[in-house]
Amino acid sequence: MKKQLMILAAALATSGCVTQEQFDKVMATQRPPSAAEKAAIVSAARDYFVDPYSIRDAEISSVVRLNDQGLEAVCVKASAKNRMGGYAGRTSTSVRLFKGKPMSTLENAPACAMPQMRYQRFRELENLRNILN
């Protein structure tokens, strides 16, 4: 029984590993985000930022395909006010997309910091602050 638990633990520990070859394959699928994807992320930002109307210095990465069933990911880097009302600096958030629609987010995802990831200015997200003016 102890041996079976050790084998199960080892299998679970290694199941999340990604080889360099797999990573390179995902990075090769990079494409610019569409206007519809950007609009969906801007709309969803109201749910995952504490103060979405304070966003500044926003960038969005290229979209990468994670599988052939429609799962993709895009990274958003931005600075926004935290719960204390102050700016804490830029954070990166990975947004999982399923068929172009945001499904979940992961703050400070390691892939967002990879040098292979290409970024561009995300003015649409920064423009949320104009809604209140």
Side-chain angles (χ1 to χ4, degrees):
M1 181 69 169
K2 201 179 229 186
K3 185 177 181 181
Q4 291 172 335
L5 287 175
M6 293 292 282
I7 292 171
L8 178 61
L12 288 174
T14 60
S15 65
C17 296
V18 177
T19 66
Q20 185 65 41
E21 183 178 320
Q22 291 168 321
F23 179 76
D24 291 342
K25 186 177 178 182
V26 168
M27 285 295 132
T29 66
Q30 289 189 71
R31 64 168 178 79
S34 68
E37 289 166 333
K38 287 181 178 182
I41 290 169
V42 168
S43 179
R46 294 180 179 136
D47 294 330
Y48 63 85
F49 278 100
V50 173
D51 185 356
Y53 306 105
S54 68
I55 295 172
R56 62 183 185 191
D57 302 324
E59 291 182 307
I60 188 167
S61 74
S62 297
V63 178
V64 294
R65 187 175 58 238
L66 301 177
N67 65 27
D68 293 331
Q69 287 74 43
L71 186 62
E72 298 177 309
V74 64
C75 294
V76 176
K77 290 182 180 180
S79 181
K81 289 184 180 176
N82 60 21
R83 285 181 174 32
M84 300 296 289
Y87 285 94
R90 280 180 18 134
T91 59
S92 60
T93 303
S94 173
V95 181
R96 296 270 174 133
L97 304 169
F98 183 69
K99 297 186 179 180
K101 305 287 185 218
M103 300 306 288
S104 65
T105 62
L106 176 63
E107 197 168 318
N108 296 321
C112 293
M114 295 297 190
Q116 297 92 331
M117 193 65 83
R118 294 188 294 264
Y119 283 89
Q120 62 183 342
R121 186 91 184 260
F122 196 2
R123 292 184 196 279
E124 296 88 341
L125 188 59
E126 291 175 349
N127 287 339
L128 274 176
R129 68 176 167 246
N130 296 331
I131 292 175
L132 295 179
N133 295 332

